[in-house]
Amino acid sequence: MSPTTSSTTAPSSSRPIALSAALVLAVVLIWAVLDLSGGDPAGRTLGLSLALGAVFGVVLQRSRFCFFCHTRDLIEGGDPRGVLAILLALAVGIAGYMLVIGSWLPVPVAERLPPDAHIGPVSVVLALAAFVFGLGMAVSGSCISAHLYRLGEGSPTAPFALLGTALGFVAGFLSWNRLYLAVISEAPVVWLPHHLGYAGTLGLSLVVLGALALLALHRGRRTPLPASAAAPLDMRRAARAVFVSRWPALVGGAVVGIVSAASYLRIGPLGVTAEIGSLARSAADRLDFLPSTLYGLDGFRGCATAVKTAILSKNGVFVLGLMGASLACALVSGDFAPRRPRLSDVVAGLGGGLLMGWGAMTALGCTVGVLLSGIHAGALSGWLFLAAAFAGMLAGLPLRRRLVRA
């Protein structure tokens, strides 16, 4: 489905049920945000994280924001709008991050890094992990964040992809010590403002993104927007534009960039895999599957995993907000269309999820935690993840076509 194509609405007999369920979900989310925000400082942080997760879920679902799908639309369909949305999200987020970091750390001195920013080690292991992650995106048909919002649409692949991701994390934990001792422990952590300053980092990043935008426009066939008759905007048309029709891709990209900067300012960098990884790590630890020590893992920046000691976490409520809000949006728009999974859905989900989980654990994040938040922070690791994941996705597209035809 094109990012600007209107959704197919559900049969009229089921619409009242869907709308009622969406209203209940919205009320529950609002109540949870208000309840958490009225408590102690930790509760207020959880409330804001839940709210930002809900906003993120709305934006992802309404604009169909997906790193894999947008890139595939350009490569296979000649439609550059989705890729332009990704580039816009990166540009907006970089500008926001530089303002925030510059106020916290006016001079990017060599011995200091901005607090909590996802600035990871740069090595051949990161490139390999990103390539494997991109391959997994192609096999499963979405990145991890898109599987989370498509879970709310009733996707038959998403549950298996998320299960495969958790299993992939366990595989990543099992391979971590060998990779850490051989490569990662000596890998440099490169923060571009140390070398270029804030202005230089922002300027170079925008130049690179602009060049990529020109390449996308050149590669694309400039798919025309659907014609629409001029009509006065009334409440009914406005409501349909917001709740039923797909939002323009560029709107989604801009809001994703804003949410990323706002999250970093108030809570921490965006990421969607920390909770999945922590659940996988906790389960594997209880079953004695993991080594007694994971060397250096907890000292790195990124989508950190830990053995869970509390029910609620910042990333956990963020993911819950994302899934709940995307489900509510899918119910209202008619995008909620569950079906029985086929064998190809199960194979694609588990196989692609396993690859993405290993890649995300080894890279310390995914397209949101490393690519988006890393590039926003001025980390070279984010740019390396972008290039290697793109290569992996290209390598996996032929396999994806075979799975779709199966």
Side-chain angles (χ1 to χ4, degrees):
M1 182 183 292
S2 170
T4 55
T5 302
S6 298
S7 306
T8 302
T9 56
S12 57
S13 59
S14 64
R15 290 294 290 164
I17 298 175
L19 293 175
S20 298
L23 179 60
V24 170
L25 273 172
V27 170
V28 169
L29 283 172
I30 294 171
W31 172 83
V33 169
L34 294 176
D35 183 64
L36 289 170
S37 301
D40 57 17
R44 291 195 290 272
T45 299
L46 291 174
L48 181 56
S49 187
L50 178 61
L52 286 174
V55 172
F56 199 57
V58 170
V59 174
L60 295 187
Q61 201 282 326
R62 291 287 68 233
S63 65
R64 186 181 169 263
F65 193 90
C66 169
F67 288 90
F68 169 74
C69 302
H70 284 337
T71 308
R72 183 192 57 193
D73 287 346
L74 174 62
I75 294 171
E76 297 185 341
D79 185 349
R81 289 172 291 177
V83 167
L84 294 178
I86 294 173
L87 298 175
L88 180 60
L90 292 173
V92 171
I94 290 169
Y97 258 66
M98 291 300 106
L99 286 173
V100 173
I101 294 173
S103 67
W104 291 346
L105 191 63
V107 180
V109 292
E111 66 273 12
R112 295 188 63 186
L113 290 172
D116 299 326
H118 287 184
I119 305 167
V122 177
S123 70
V124 66
V125 171
L126 174 61
L128 174 62
F131 182 90
V132 171
F133 187 92
L135 187 64
M137 282 198 299
V139 170
S140 70
S142 292
C143 56
I144 294 175
S145 57
H147 279 303
L148 287 170
Y149 87 73
R150 284 179 176 156
L151 193 67
E153 295 179 344
S155 164
T157 304
F160 299 101
L162 295 172
L163 174 60
T165 297
L167 296 174
F169 262 87
V170 175
F173 293 134
L174 294 175
S175 64
W176 172 262
N177 283 347
R178 180 174 297 180
L179 295 173
Y180 175 81
L181 293 174
V183 178
I184 301 172
S185 62
E186 301 296 329
V189 175
V190 182
W191 186 42
L192 295 178
H194 278 162
H195 307 276
L196 305 174
Y198 293 126
T201 299
L202 177 60
L204 178 61
S205 298
L206 293 180
V207 167
V208 172
L209 293 174
L212 292 175
L214 291 176
L215 285 174
L217 290 170
H218 178 73
R219 175 69 175 81
R221 291 194 285 270
R222 304 296 296 275
T223 303
L225 294 174
S228 59
L233 185 64
D234 55 23
M235 290 295 293
R236 183 174 181 179
R237 289 191 178 90
R240 183 173 183 82
V242 172
F243 297 110
V244 179
S245 300
R246 287 290 186 185
W247 293 359
L250 289 177
V251 171
V255 178
V256 166
I258 294 170
V259 170
S260 177
S263 177
Y264 181 58
L265 175 63
R266 294 297 306 276
I267 300 173
L270 282 187
V272 297
T273 61
E275 186 68 10
I276 297 173
S278 294
L279 290 171
R281 185 172 177 179
S282 299
D285 183 70
R286 291 191 186 97
L287 295 172
D288 291 328
F289 283 172
L290 300 185
S292 58
T293 301
L294 292 169
Y295 300 128
L297 177 60
D298 296 330
F300 282 116
R301 293 159 177 255
C303 291
T305 62
V307 175
K308 289 183 68 64
T309 58
I311 297 176
L312 295 180
S313 67
K314 290 185 292 185
N315 191 250
V317 297
F318 181 89
V319 170
L320 286 175
L322 189 165
M323 293 191 297
S326 61
L327 172 58
C329 287
L331 289 168
V332 172
S333 64
D335 291 328
F336 181 69
R339 65 170 174 81
R340 185 186 300 273
R342 300 186 296 264
L343 178 60
S344 59
D345 298 320
V346 177
V347 172
L350 288 175
L354 187 68
L355 293 170
M356 288 193 294
W358 185 88
M361 186 276 134
T362 309
L364 306 175
C366 65
T367 46
V368 176
V370 179
L371 193 162
L372 193 76
S373 294
I375 290 177
H376 286 172
L380 183 60
S381 54
W383 291 102
L384 178 57
F385 190 99
L386 171 64
F390 178 73
M393 192 205 71
L394 289 180
L397 278 176
L399 181 57
R400 175 67 187 171
R401 296 186 192 107
R402 293 181 183 179
L403 287 171
V404 170
R405 290 195 297 266

Tab-separated table of all heavy atoms in Angstrom, residues 211-247:
chain	number	residue	atom	x	y	z
A	211	ALA	N	22.379	14.961	-0.474
A	211	ALA	CA	22.852	14.178	-1.621
A	211	ALA	C	22.058	12.880	-1.758
A	211	ALA	O	21.699	12.471	-2.886
A	211	ALA	CB	24.341	13.887	-1.449
A	212	LEU	N	21.775	12.239	-0.636
A	212	LEU	CA	20.968	11.015	-0.687
A	212	LEU	C	19.548	11.310	-1.184
A	212	LEU	O	18.958	10.506	-1.907
A	212	LEU	CB	20.915	10.366	0.697
A	212	LEU	CG	22.233	9.789	1.215
A	212	LEU	CD1	22.079	9.290	2.647
A	212	LEU	CD2	22.723	8.661	0.317
A	213	ALA	N	19.015	12.474	-0.810
A	213	ALA	CA	17.687	12.855	-1.284
A	213	ALA	C	17.695	13.046	-2.801
A	213	ALA	O	16.759	12.622	-3.505
A	213	ALA	CB	17.219	14.128	-0.588
A	214	LEU	N	18.737	13.675	-3.314
A	214	LEU	CA	18.841	13.854	-4.767
A	214	LEU	C	18.951	12.505	-5.472
A	214	LEU	O	18.349	12.300	-6.540
A	214	LEU	CB	20.047	14.726	-5.101
A	214	LEU	CG	19.941	16.203	-4.695
A	214	LEU	CD1	21.241	16.936	-4.997
A	214	LEU	CD2	18.776	16.874	-5.427
A	215	LEU	N	19.715	11.576	-4.888
A	215	LEU	CA	19.816	10.233	-5.476
A	215	LEU	C	18.461	9.531	-5.464
A	215	LEU	O	18.096	8.845	-6.435
A	215	LEU	CB	20.837	9.401	-4.700
A	215	LEU	CG	22.311	9.726	-4.931
A	215	LEU	CD1	23.194	8.908	-3.988
A	215	LEU	CD2	22.695	9.451	-6.387
A	216	ALA	N	17.717	9.699	-4.372
A	216	ALA	CA	16.396	9.067	-4.296
A	216	ALA	C	15.460	9.643	-5.353
A	216	ALA	O	14.707	8.906	-6.003
A	216	ALA	CB	15.798	9.263	-2.900
A	217	LEU	N	15.492	10.959	-5.533
A	217	LEU	CA	14.647	11.580	-6.553
A	217	LEU	C	15.060	11.141	-7.951
A	217	LEU	O	14.217	10.937	-8.829
A	217	LEU	CB	14.722	13.101	-6.429
A	217	LEU	CG	14.041	13.703	-5.194
A	217	LEU	CD1	14.384	15.177	-5.064
A	217	LEU	CD2	12.536	13.506	-5.261
A	218	HIS	N	16.357	10.998	-8.163
A	218	HIS	CA	16.839	10.551	-9.471
A	218	HIS	C	16.449	9.101	-9.724
A	218	HIS	O	16.061	8.735	-10.837
A	218	HIS	CB	18.355	10.703	-9.542
A	218	HIS	CG	18.948	10.219	-10.829
A	218	HIS	ND1	18.816	10.913	-12.023
A	218	HIS	CD2	19.669	9.091	-11.126
A	218	HIS	CE1	19.431	10.249	-12.987
A	218	HIS	NE2	19.954	9.136	-12.470
A	219	ARG	N	16.552	8.261	-8.680
A	219	ARG	CA	16.216	6.840	-8.826
A	219	ARG	C	14.718	6.633	-8.967
A	219	ARG	O	14.257	5.750	-9.690
A	219	ARG	CB	16.726	6.073	-7.595
A	219	ARG	CG	16.339	4.593	-7.564
A	219	ARG	CD	17.074	3.814	-8.637
A	219	ARG	NE	16.790	2.391	-8.541
A	219	ARG	CZ	15.706	1.789	-9.016
A	219	ARG	NH1	14.777	2.512	-9.615
A	219	ARG	NH2	15.556	0.483	-8.912
A	220	GLY	N	13.943	7.477	-8.313
A	220	GLY	CA	12.500	7.321	-8.343
A	220	GLY	C	11.893	7.843	-9.626
A	220	GLY	O	12.509	8.583	-10.391
A	221	ARG	N	10.677	7.463	-9.832
A	221	ARG	CA	9.960	7.910	-11.022
A	221	ARG	C	8.964	9.011	-10.688
A	221	ARG	O	8.041	9.267	-11.450
A	221	ARG	CB	9.242	6.715	-11.663
A	221	ARG	CG	10.197	5.712	-12.271
A	221	ARG	CD	9.460	4.748	-13.175
A	221	ARG	NE	8.711	3.767	-12.400
A	221	ARG	CZ	9.198	2.600	-12.005
A	221	ARG	NH1	10.444	2.282	-12.285
A	221	ARG	NH2	8.477	1.755	-11.310
A	222	ARG	N	9.175	9.620	-9.491
A	222	ARG	CA	8.330	10.737	-9.069
A	222	ARG	C	6.855	10.381	-9.162
A	222	ARG	O	6.073	10.988	-9.891
A	222	ARG	CB	8.625	11.985	-9.904
A	222	ARG	CG	10.064	12.424	-9.884
A	222	ARG	CD	10.484	12.837	-8.482
A	222	ARG	NE	9.745	13.984	-8.034
A	222	ARG	CZ	10.085	15.245	-8.318
A	222	ARG	NH1	11.173	15.483	-9.046
A	222	ARG	NH2	9.381	16.241	-7.864
A	223	THR	N	6.460	9.314	-8.477
A	223	THR	CA	5.080	8.848	-8.494
A	223	THR	C	4.134	10.012	-8.203
A	223	THR	O	4.269	10.670	-7.174
A	223	THR	CB	4.870	7.749	-7.445
A	223	THR	OG1	5.793	6.696	-7.697
A	223	THR	CG2	3.445	7.221	-7.498
A	224	PRO	N	3.192	10.294	-9.123
A	224	PRO	CA	2.324	11.452	-8.900
A	224	PRO	C	1.381	11.214	-7.734
A	224	PRO	O	0.952	10.091	-7.473
A	224	PRO	CB	1.553	11.567	-10.222
A	224	PRO	CG	1.555	10.183	-10.787
A	224	PRO	CD	2.878	9.584	-10.370
A	225	LEU	N	1.087	12.294	-7.033
A	225	LEU	CA	0.101	12.212	-5.969
A	225	LEU	C	-1.279	12.003	-6.562
A	225	LEU	O	-1.576	12.497	-7.656
A	225	LEU	CB	0.122	13.503	-5.140
A	225	LEU	CG	1.400	13.768	-4.356
A	225	LEU	CD1	1.322	15.143	-3.715
A	225	LEU	CD2	1.618	12.704	-3.308
A	226	PRO	N	-2.163	11.276	-5.893
A	226	PRO	CA	-3.506	11.058	-6.415
A	226	PRO	C	-4.254	12.379	-6.550
A	226	PRO	O	-4.187	13.243	-5.681
A	226	PRO	CB	-4.159	10.152	-5.367
A	226	PRO	CG	-3.344	10.334	-4.134
A	226	PRO	CD	-1.959	10.627	-4.592
A	227	ALA	N	-4.946	12.514	-7.667
A	227	ALA	CA	-5.706	13.730	-7.906
A	227	ALA	C	-6.905	13.783	-6.981
A	227	ALA	O	-7.520	12.777	-6.659
A	227	ALA	CB	-6.169	13.767	-9.365
A	228	SER	N	-7.216	14.953	-6.524
A	228	SER	CA	-8.380	15.120	-5.664
A	228	SER	C	-9.104	16.388	-6.064
A	228	SER	O	-8.484	17.402	-6.383
A	228	SER	CB	-7.964	15.205	-4.194
A	228	SER	OG	-7.080	16.280	-4.000
A	229	ALA	N	-10.407	16.301	-6.066
A	229	ALA	CA	-11.212	17.457	-6.441
A	229	ALA	C	-11.159	18.498	-5.332
A	229	ALA	O	-11.175	18.171	-4.149
A	229	ALA	CB	-12.663	17.022	-6.676
A	230	ALA	N	-11.054	19.752	-5.738
A	230	ALA	CA	-11.030	20.825	-4.752
A	230	ALA	C	-12.373	20.877	-4.031
A	230	ALA	O	-13.434	20.880	-4.650
A	230	ALA	CB	-10.751	22.155	-5.443
A	231	ALA	N	-12.333	20.863	-2.721
A	231	ALA	CA	-13.571	20.882	-1.940
A	231	ALA	C	-13.285	21.589	-0.626
A	231	ALA	O	-12.179	21.503	-0.093
A	231	ALA	CB	-14.066	19.456	-1.678
A	232	PRO	N	-14.265	22.288	-0.100
A	232	PRO	CA	-14.050	22.951	1.188
A	232	PRO	C	-13.801	21.919	2.281
A	232	PRO	O	-14.391	20.835	2.283
A	232	PRO	CB	-15.363	23.711	1.413
A	232	PRO	CG	-16.369	23.000	0.565
A	232	PRO	CD	-15.628	22.499	-0.627
A	233	LEU	N	-12.915	22.263	3.207
A	233	LEU	CA	-12.567	21.350	4.283
A	233	LEU	C	-13.585	21.487	5.410
A	233	LEU	O	-13.677	22.523	6.048
A	233	LEU	CB	-11.162	21.660	4.804
A	233	LEU	CG	-10.605	20.689	5.859
A	233	LEU	CD1	-10.430	19.297	5.271
A	233	LEU	CD2	-9.279	21.207	6.404
A	234	ASP	N	-14.362	20.424	5.617
A	234	ASP	CA	-15.300	20.441	6.724
A	234	ASP	C	-14.837	19.442	7.777
A	234	ASP	O	-13.803	18.792	7.639
A	234	ASP	CB	-16.722	20.118	6.252
A	234	ASP	CG	-16.793	18.798	5.485
A	234	ASP	OD1	-15.897	17.939	5.674
A	234	ASP	OD2	-17.741	18.615	4.704
A	235	MET	N	-15.594	19.325	8.862
A	235	MET	CA	-15.186	18.465	9.963
A	235	MET	C	-15.062	17.005	9.534
A	235	MET	O	-14.158	16.291	9.959
A	235	MET	CB	-16.191	18.586	11.113
A	235	MET	CG	-16.161	19.923	11.822
A	235	MET	SD	-14.567	20.181	12.671
A	235	MET	CE	-14.660	18.915	13.932
A	236	ARG	N	-15.971	16.573	8.660
A	236	ARG	CA	-15.936	15.169	8.243
A	236	ARG	C	-14.688	14.875	7.421
A	236	ARG	O	-14.020	13.854	7.640
A	236	ARG	CB	-17.196	14.850	7.432
A	236	ARG	CG	-17.287	13.384	7.022
A	236	ARG	CD	-18.617	13.097	6.351
A	236	ARG	NE	-18.724	11.701	5.972
A	236	ARG	CZ	-19.790	11.174	5.394
A	236	ARG	NH1	-20.863	11.942	5.139
A	236	ARG	NH2	-19.817	9.894	5.070
A	237	ARG	N	-14.367	15.764	6.481
A	237	ARG	CA	-13.170	15.549	5.664
A	237	ARG	C	-11.906	15.665	6.509
A	237	ARG	O	-10.943	14.927	6.311
A	237	ARG	CB	-13.140	16.551	4.506
A	237	ARG	CG	-14.181	16.292	3.428
A	237	ARG	CD	-13.922	17.160	2.197
A	237	ARG	NE	-14.889	16.884	1.147
A	237	ARG	CZ	-16.057	17.520	1.018
A	237	ARG	NH1	-16.380	18.484	1.881
A	237	ARG	NH2	-16.888	17.208	0.037
A	238	ALA	N	-11.898	16.591	7.459
A	238	ALA	CA	-10.736	16.737	8.320
A	238	ALA	C	-10.521	15.493	9.173
A	238	ALA	O	-9.395	15.005	9.324
A	238	ALA	CB	-10.905	17.967	9.209
A	239	ALA	N	-11.608	14.957	9.719
A	239	ALA	CA	-11.498	13.753	10.537
A	239	ALA	C	-11.016	12.572	9.701
A	239	ALA	O	-10.191	11.762	10.161
A	239	ALA	CB	-12.845	13.429	11.182
A	240	ARG	N	-11.506	12.464	8.473
A	240	ARG	CA	-11.073	11.361	7.605
A	240	ARG	C	-9.593	11.497	7.259
A	240	ARG	O	-8.856	10.500	7.220
A	240	ARG	CB	-11.912	11.341	6.329
A	240	ARG	CG	-11.563	10.162	5.422
A	240	ARG	CD	-12.508	10.042	4.240
A	240	ARG	NE	-12.167	8.858	3.457
A	240	ARG	CZ	-12.552	7.627	3.743
A	240	ARG	NH1	-13.306	7.405	4.800
A	240	ARG	NH2	-12.197	6.604	2.979
A	241	ALA	N	-9.135	12.729	7.023
A	241	ALA	CA	-7.728	12.941	6.700
A	241	ALA	C	-6.818	12.547	7.853
A	241	ALA	O	-5.715	12.032	7.654
A	241	ALA	CB	-7.489	14.403	6.326
A	242	VAL	N	-7.291	12.754	9.090
A	242	VAL	CA	-6.470	12.455	10.259
A	242	VAL	C	-6.556	10.984	10.657
A	242	VAL	O	-5.542	10.337	10.936
A	242	VAL	CB	-6.884	13.345	11.448
A	242	VAL	CG1	-6.160	12.907	12.724
A	242	VAL	CG2	-6.591	14.804	11.144
A	243	PHE	N	-7.760	10.419	10.656
A	243	PHE	CA	-7.970	9.111	11.258
A	243	PHE	C	-8.084	7.954	10.261
A	243	PHE	O	-7.941	6.800	10.669
A	243	PHE	CB	-9.228	9.129	12.125
A	243	PHE	CG	-9.142	10.074	13.297
A	243	PHE	CD1	-9.887	11.227	13.326
A	243	PHE	CD2	-8.291	9.798	14.358
A	243	PHE	CE1	-9.807	12.098	14.399
A	243	PHE	CE2	-8.198	10.655	15.437
A	243	PHE	CZ	-8.962	11.815	15.454
A	244	VAL	N	-8.366	8.217	8.999
A	244	VAL	CA	-8.598	7.141	8.039
A	244	VAL	C	-7.560	7.133	6.926
A	244	VAL	O	-6.911	6.115	6.678
A	244	VAL	CB	-10.021	7.239	7.442
A	244	VAL	CG1	-10.241	6.117	6.420
A	244	VAL	CG2	-11.072	7.157	8.549
A	245	SER	N	-7.394	8.246	6.241
A	245	SER	CA	-6.427	8.313	5.148
A	245	SER	C	-5.000	8.261	5.688
A	245	SER	O	-4.731	8.731	6.796
A	245	SER	CB	-6.623	9.601	4.345
A	245	SER	OG	-7.923	9.664	3.801
A	246	ARG	N	-4.114	7.690	4.889
A	246	ARG	CA	-2.707	7.664	5.287
A	246	ARG	C	-2.149	9.085	5.300
A	246	ARG	O	-2.442	9.892	4.423
A	246	ARG	CB	-1.901	6.828	4.304
A	246	ARG	CG	-2.131	5.336	4.418
A	246	ARG	CD	-1.540	4.769	5.687
A	246	ARG	NE	-1.627	3.315	5.727
A	246	ARG	CZ	-1.265	2.584	6.757
A	246	ARG	NH1	-0.812	3.159	7.848
A	246	ARG	NH2	-1.377	1.271	6.722
A	247	TRP	N	-1.339	9.373	6.295
A	247	TRP	CA	-0.687	10.675	6.346
A	247	TRP	C	0.420	10.728	5.296
A	247	TRP	O	1.038	9.707	4.972
A	247	TRP	CB	-0.074	10.906	7.708
A	247	TRP	CG	-1.053	11.054	8.831
A	247	TRP	CD1	-2.415	11.015	8.739
A	247	TRP	CD2	-0.752	11.242	10.213
A	247	TRP	NE1	-2.983	11.172	9.982
A	247	TRP	CE2	-1.988	11.314	10.901
A	247	TRP	CE3	0.431	11.362	10.929
A	247	TRP	CZ2	-2.052	11.503	12.280
A	247	TRP	CZ3	0.377	11.546	12.301
A	247	TRP	CH2	-0.853	11.622	12.962
